[in-house]
Structures are given as structure tokens and as C-alpha cells.
Amino acid sequence: MSIMYLLMPLAILLGLGFLGAFIWAVRQGQFDDLETPKFKMLIDDKDKGVRNE
Amino acid sequence: MGRLFTFRHLLFWDLEMETIRLYVGGVHCANCLKKINSLQNSLQGLEEISFDMSTNTLKALVDPEKLADLDLQNAVDDLGFQSRPLERDESTDRISKQQDRMDLIRIGVAAVAAANVMLMAISVYSGANTTEANFMNFLSLLLAIPAITFAAWPIHRTALKDLWMARVSVDLPISFAIIAGFILSSWSLLRGNEHIYFDSISALIFLVLSSRYLLKRVQRKYLGLSRFQNLFQIENVEKLVGNLWIPTDMRTLNPGDLVKVASGHIVPADGVLAEDPTIQSTTRAAIIDSSLLSGESRPSNVQLGETLFLGMKNLGGEIVLKISKRFVDSRLNQMLLEVEKAVQAKPRSVQILDKVGQVFLLIVFAVAAATFLYFYSSDPFEGSRRALALILVACPCTFAFGAPLVFSLSMSKAAKLGALIKHPNVFEKLGEIQNIILDKTGTLTNGQYDIQDFKVLDDAVDGAFTEDLAKALFLCEQSEHPVSRAMARKLREYGIKPPPTLQMNFRETPTLGLFGDVDDVQYKINSEGIWRNNIQLVSAQMGDRLWPESSKLILSLKKLGFPVFLLSGDSELRVSELAKDLGLNPTHVFSAQTPELKQEFVKLAPRSLMVGDGANDSIALAAAHVGIAVHGSLSTSLQAADVYLLKQDLGLIPKLFSISKKVQQVLRRNLYIAGTYNLIAGTMAVMGLIHPLMAAILMPLSSLSQLLSGLSVLRGEK
């Protein structure tokens, strides 16, 4: 069972990696507007005018 | 802001671009978004357009020389949406966005901590040996540190502020439980004890933070509504200096100044109607639209020497005004200041939850202190362990996240029905209402001075008939008077088109109407119809129409048992007629009310619900226990009101009452559940029976019951 002493910190590191990715995404503003994007994909590319910050 | 560079920017890179921000209601789907989007192709001078559906904000980059704010707003309204200008200043927006992001990061940190600590807790509970358990508990301690410090910082901050200001709020016990739990657990870990609660603490932080974030998001979505621009644009007016009319900023006018107000313009300050000293003109009265101040749409005639107020609109020909008050001292400005004061001073009714929370807190702390003192002489360690376990386990879940969840769910439910609620305490205040006060114009009626009955008199028809109507239409379109406007709209509806040019002699007389001489034929147009050489061609009747929901509303409010009052700035005859149609008690109907009188009335009626629109109702709305501004209201009434109806549907008001009732039911049930849980868990903690495994099961169970109970506000009343 001593492998646990390696695996658990590794698992936590993995979690921290995802946390880092999440913080990066938040800083990028990816969670600022959760309403508009789901409709934007329905609009044809040629009307690209509506865009997000 | 990401500024998009187009070819125009490359070619004219000194081009002055302006950002316009609008609040746009009614954008719900891809199609709506597409429509907004398409403006870019159809509007000249619109460089870039973006729409944020989470805040209902439209942001446009425009060339101000080609596209005015108002044109953009009209274009959006023409698509079938309702737009309102927002402040140009983006700083508040940016700060709130930064805060939102920070909140999310804190939630993320708490979530990672909670999830990992829980995984390790499961391994410990499922029978890890002592060394393994110690190792995992130590990792849990490390993981919990960022959660209780960084993630829970907003909770601690409020708690500290509470201590500093000697008051009690929910954050105090939560913060205390987090810290106490952490100390107890770390201490137990060092002593090789089994009382380790890192899992419960991190889960608590995560739940509290996320439910609060949810509530904030719902509130934020509609916060834009309270940040509208001014009522009208500051413009230059012509002031008499010596013998010349000089353009001057309307805010710099002083008492005694003489100014000209052109047709269709705003009266720039309070003043008296005067004669123009530069020309030998005949004295004449003015036709004034005072709807901004009185709420009534029927234009009034003002005689020489009578007072006009800032915000009124000159509908007739050019007039001259002798200023009697400075811009800042004007009646309208005083009214706006009053609204601001009232909104700030509005007593936030002490919420039941706050009161119960305080009592709850006192009991928990008292019992904890008693437990500690009881063991003080025999076993102080055991005493402090039990006291800390009690504080941790007696989690104020209802206050911490049960209530915010119920509020955010019910607010978004109300918003879906079409009513925006500014603050959750409205639900509680609605339950305390004793009187209902309604405004007439714009609230119960459509507020538009329009033609109700339009008849073309057949016996007047001769060969030149349509030509006559075309000429009449041309005359109507020369005038700013609402009657002429309404008549023109109606004539166009009948397919009449005005001739491109017309030689005519045109004059407007208050009370008599609009006269035009074309060749040797005289046309007369007023609110009763159109005449040609004194032969009536068209008969018409003017008025504002009752909304179809109005009588239903009054019926259902009466059924709920409220006394219903009607206040109107209109004349007695019209109001009493309407009141009879609506089945209102004549003693509950008051006509010829000024904004100040309405406010007085609202203040005297205890626990009143006021429904109104327009700047004229805003001081009354602010004074009311609950103020509801109806669809299409001006910005001041929105600031003053607690609730804003997005749709023209008065039927929402009874629905709000039933939602409020439901919310209070659910909150009460939450309290009972939490009370039962705390009684059981608390007793066990004091008796020293709380095992960490038990806490790990009981605490989420109590949270879950709060969530499930809270979700039930969504049921019913679609």
C-alpha cells in the first residue's frame, strides 16, 4: 500500500492542475457570459458581428 | 475593451468612435440575437455591436457623426425589443465583472479542496490503518488551508466588520464555525484524536460561496435597470443678452433671464411665460405637454404670466420664458433629489431570518459556553472539544445558503414571468401590505393620448374628399401637438398620403385647434375632428384607453382583501367615470393629484403598495412600502421602485403576491427543518456523541434537505 504515498499527492497535483486551468479560464473571461454563446453557435458565420469580450 | 479594427479605422485612424451602452429587454433566443446582429448591416455608422445576454447589455461602437444614440435605440425598438440607455461610464461594470471572476476562483478553490478532502475522508472512514490515516489527514489539513483562508475570506471579512460594528449577521457564526472547526481538527490531528472535520468545513465553504454567487448573478442581471441615464438631454437654449439671442447651456440660466423655447423642445428651467421683447408680437398662450411632471398625457394651455416647469415640453410655436429659478432649484430637480433621499433612507425592514438568526446564534454560543464551563474544572480539553463540535455542527444552513437559494430561484422565476425584483426583501414586504394605491394614466390606462373613435362622415364626401384629407394630413404633420400627431397617424392608417408641398397659411390656437388656409379653403383640425370651411369631414374622440387587464386586476386585488385606491393627476370627471367602470369605491378615488400630493397620500397609508409609472409617480413609489413601476416607465420611477414589470401585464401583481406567499412558506419550512436538525445534532455534540463520521453524514444531509425544500418554490404558478 506504500504506493499510496506517491499516488495521493499525484492525484492532488492533478487536481491542482485542473484548478490552474479553471483559474486561467476565469481570468480569460470565459465565464462572464454563460447565456449568449449557446445561441451564438446557431448563427451563421457570415453574421459574425455579435461578439463577446 | 477589445477594439475591432476595420478598414475604416485603418484609413481614418483618427476616427472618433463612441461606445453606446443600452439595456435591451426581450432578447431570449438565437433569432433575437440574429436580429440585433443584423443591425450592423442595416445601420450606417455602426462599427461593432455586441450583446451580453447574462446582463442584457448591448454595446455598440458607433461613429457619432453618422449615428446618434437615439437612432440606435429606435432601431433596436423597431425590432420589437425594449431598450434603455445605460450610463456611458463603464467603471462600475468593470468592477463588478472583476468581482464576479474573483468569486468564481474562490468557488473553484473551495470545490477542489472539498472534493479531495472528502475522497480522503472516505478512505479514512472505510478503515485505513493509523499511519495511512495520519498521512491522509495531514494532506487534508494542507488542502483545507487555502479553502478556509483564501476561499472563505469574504465570509471572514464580513464577520470581522460585524464584530467591529458590534452587530450580528449570518457570516459571524459561519466564520466562527469554520475557524473553530479548523482549530479543533488540527488539534485532534496533532493529539492523535479522531475529531477531524476538514471535510465538513470545506464542503460548507463551497456550498455557502456557490449559493451566494447564484443570488448575486440573478440580482446583477437586472442591476443595469437602476443605472439609466438622465431623463432628457442637456441642451443649449437661446438667452437674450442685450438685443441678441445667444446660445447658452440650460444649467447656467439665472432668475430673470429671458430664453426662447422652440417648438418641440424642453422647458429649460422653471419660469413664467413672457412676451418676446424683441418683436412686437401679439400675446398668445402656449400649448404644453406636462406628462413628465403630472403623468397626464393631455396637453394643457398655459396663459401669459403662468408658470412653466423644467421638463415640460413646448408643443406649440416658439415661446419666451422669464426664468424664475435656477436649474438646480427647479421643481423637477427637487423631485429627483427627493427620490434619491427616499430610496437611500428606505428602511430595510428587519427580516425575520435576521431576527431568528440572531436568536439562534445566541443560543448556540450560550450552550457552547455552558458546556465548556461545565467541564472546566474536570476536563477542560473535553469541554472545549464539545463546545467547538457544537458550534461546527450547529450549522446555520438556512441562513447561510438555504435562504439565498430560495431568493435567487424565486427572483428568476418572477423575472421569467415578467417582473424584475430589485431586492429579495420585497418577498417579505409584499406579505405585509395593507393598502394598494394605483396610478391611473400609464398604469391602468395606456397613457397615450390617442384617437379612440374615428369616423369619416359619408355625407361630407364629394369628389375632392381624399385630397382634402391629404391636405389635412399635411397640416397635422406641421404640428407637435399630440392631437395633430394622433390624427396624422390615424389618417396614414387610412392610406392617406400628404402632398409633397403645399402653399398654406398655418396657425395653432390653444383650445380651438389647428387652422390652415389653402387657397381660399380653410381647414380646421382639433380633438373632435376635421372641418373644411366649417363642414365636418371627420369626427373623432380622444382619450386614453383602459388596459384590458385593469379591471381584472382590481377584481383580484379586492378578492385578496385589500382596499384599492386610485390616484390620478387627471380631472375629476374623467377619473370618476373610469372608477365607475372599474367598480372602485368612489371614496377611494382621488383626482387632480400632484406628485407631491401622491407622495403625501402614500406616506399616510400604512404599509402601502404603490403601482405607478413616470417621473411624477417616482416620489410616491419611493415612499411606498413596496413600489411597482409598470412597463415603459421612466428611469426615475425605476430607481424608486422595488419591482419593475417588464411586460404590460398587470396580472403579474397578484402572481407576485402568490410567489411571495410561497417564498415565506418555504423559508419557514427551512427553518423548521434546520431547527430539528440542530436540536438533535446539537444535543449529541454536547453529550460528546458526535463522531466525525456522523458529522460527515449529518451535515450534508441537512444541507441537502435545505436544497430540496428550496427547490419547491419553482413549483406552481407558471
Side-chain angles (χ1 to χ4, degrees), chain A residues 1 4-5 8 12 19 22-23 26-27 29 31-33 35-36 39-40 42 47 49-51 53, chain B residues 1 28 30 33 37 40 48-54 59 97 101 104 108 120 132 135-136 217:
Chain A
M1 284 302 269
M4 282 226 320
Y5 296 108
M8 297 216 54
I12 290 172
L19 179 66
F22 175 71
I23 293 174
V26 171
R27 288 242 159 104
F31 295 90
D32 286 352
D33 179 5
E35 296 284 324
T36 326
F39 294 114
K40 273 205 317 205
L42 294 171
D47 319 312
V50 178
R51 63 183 66 231
E53 308 257 325
Chain B
M1 198 192 84
H28 298 305
L33 205 60
N37 200 357
Q40 198 161 25
E48 190 191 332
I49 190 164
S50 69
F51 192 80
D52 182 340
M53 288 170 85
S54 62
K59 206 187 267 179
K97 200 174 258 178
R101 291 181 183 177
L104 266 183
M120 280 183 274
E132 282 165 1
F135 173 69
M136 284 188 260
R217 259 327 268 225

Side-chain angles (χ1 to χ4, degrees), chain B residues 22-33:
Chain B
L22 297 177
Y23 179 93
V24 183
V27 181
H28 298 305
C29 61
N31 235 341
C32 308
L33 205 60

